[in-house]
């Protein structure tokens, strides 16, 4: 079980941290190459635009998944901060249910579209569009998973009257959840 948790944590880190880091590095290098060839050599390269777009798609979608994991995405809490503890969690539950429903509904059409685009490929690199758009499916699943975790935290927080976190934002959610329930089983 510990090996499986480690494998899941490593895979999540590769997908949500290291691939976006590589995409950002490639995007920066391609951008500098594009500027160099366009303004210094005076010979614009067509491949740089395509490479930049692919890197950008992968960076944004997989990077957003990481922001969800760490709960560091941009939020507007002007009204939320003025609510009582209970009402904050009720609003959080409603918002999470809306997001979960929306992204569950998006899974099938997203998958179908990605499959449909597999017959087309990019103009220069000849990469199938199914590969270019594949991170969107992962993003859908990540949103569903992380919103379910927040939903459970909000429900538990209302029941206990205090904030409850089943997922430490600095470690693997699955690892934290299992460890917490193993401790409860040993103490009872």
């Amino acid at each position: 079980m510990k090996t499986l948790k480690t494998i899941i944590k490593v895979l999540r880190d590769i997908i949500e941290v290291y691939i976006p880091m590589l995409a950002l590095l490639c995007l920066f290098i391609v951008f500098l190459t594009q500027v160099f060839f366009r303004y210094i050599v005076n010979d614009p390269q067509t491949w740089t635009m395509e490479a930049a777009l692919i890197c950008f798609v992968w960076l944004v979608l997989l990077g957003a998944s990481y922001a969800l994991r760490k709960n560091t995405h941009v939020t507007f809490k002007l009204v939320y901060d003025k609510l009582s503890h209970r009402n904050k969690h009720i609003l959080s539950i409603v918002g999470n249910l809306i997001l979960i429903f929306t992204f569950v509904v998006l899974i099938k059409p997203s998958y179908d579209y990605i499959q449909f685009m597999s017959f087309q490929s990019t103009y220069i690199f000849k990469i199938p569009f199914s590969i270019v758009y594949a991170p969107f499916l992962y993003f859908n699943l990540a949103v569903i998973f992380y919103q379910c975790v927040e939903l459970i935290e909000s429900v538990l927080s209302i029941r206990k009257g205090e904030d409850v976190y089943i997922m430490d934002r600095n470690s693997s959610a699955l690892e934290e959840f299992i460890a917490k329930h193993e401790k409860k089983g040993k103490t009872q």
Side-chain angles (χ1 to χ4, degrees):
M1 188 69 169
K2 192 163 183 92
T3 307
L4 180 63
K5 288 191 285 187
T6 305
I7 290 170
I8 290 171
K9 185 178 183 329
V10 168
L11 283 175
R12 273 183 41 209
D13 284 345
I14 288 171
I15 294 170
E16 296 177 358
V17 178
Y18 300 113
I19 291 176
M21 281 176 26
L22 267 173
L24 180 62
L25 178 65
C26 289
L27 182 63
F28 182 70
I29 291 169
V30 165
F31 176 74
L32 290 178
T33 305
Q34 188 175 30
V35 169
F36 175 77
F37 276 97
R38 177 169 292 185
Y39 295 108
I40 296 175
V41 179
N42 219 10
D43 181 28
Q45 302 293 304
T46 55
W47 66 269
T48 56
M49 186 64 170
E50 188 172 295
L53 287 171
I54 293 169
C55 289
F56 183 73
V57 167
W58 280 63
L59 169 66
V60 168
L61 292 173
L62 297 178
S65 299
Y66 181 73
L68 282 170
R69 178 187 354 173
K70 295 295 185 177
N71 207 12
T72 58
H73 50 291
V74 176
T75 57
F76 299 98
K77 296 183 178 182
L78 187 64
V79 175
Y80 182 81
D81 286 340
K82 296 184 186 296
L83 297 173
S84 68
H85 180 269
R86 180 176 169 77
N87 288 339
K88 283 181 184 179
H89 289 295
I90 290 171
L91 186 63
S92 178
I93 289 169
V94 170
N96 287 329
L97 286 172
I98 291 169
L99 284 171
I100 291 166
F101 174 77
T102 303
F103 281 90
V104 165
V105 168
L106 276 175
I107 288 176
K108 175 96 171 87
S110 299
Y111 178 76
D112 290 345
Y113 184 74
I114 289 168
Q115 291 295 55
F116 171 73
M117 293 303 291
S118 64
F119 77 93
Q120 289 185 345
S121 58
T122 60
Y123 182 70
I124 296 167
F125 293 123
K126 304 297 182 208
I127 299 171
F129 277 115
S130 58
I131 293 174
V132 174
Y133 297 132
F136 188 70
L137 194 57
Y138 180 83
F139 176 72
N140 280 352
L141 297 173
V143 168
I144 292 166
F145 174 74
Y146 294 125
Q147 295 312 119
C148 284
V149 168
E150 282 192 29
L151 178 67
I152 293 167
E153 289 174 347
S154 292
V155 169
L156 293 175
S157 294
I158 288 176
R159 288 177 131 192
K160 292 190 175 194
E162 60 186 38
D163 287 336
V164 175
Y165 299 103
I166 62 170
M167 183 171 103
D168 180 3
R169 301 293 179 195
N170 296 320
S171 67
S172 168
L174 184 62
E175 185 178 318
E176 282 292 319
F177 187 76
I178 291 170
K180 183 179 268 189
H181 288 289
E182 285 176 351
K183 285 180 189 175
K184 282 184 181 177
K186 289 179 184 177
T187 57
Q188 292 176 351

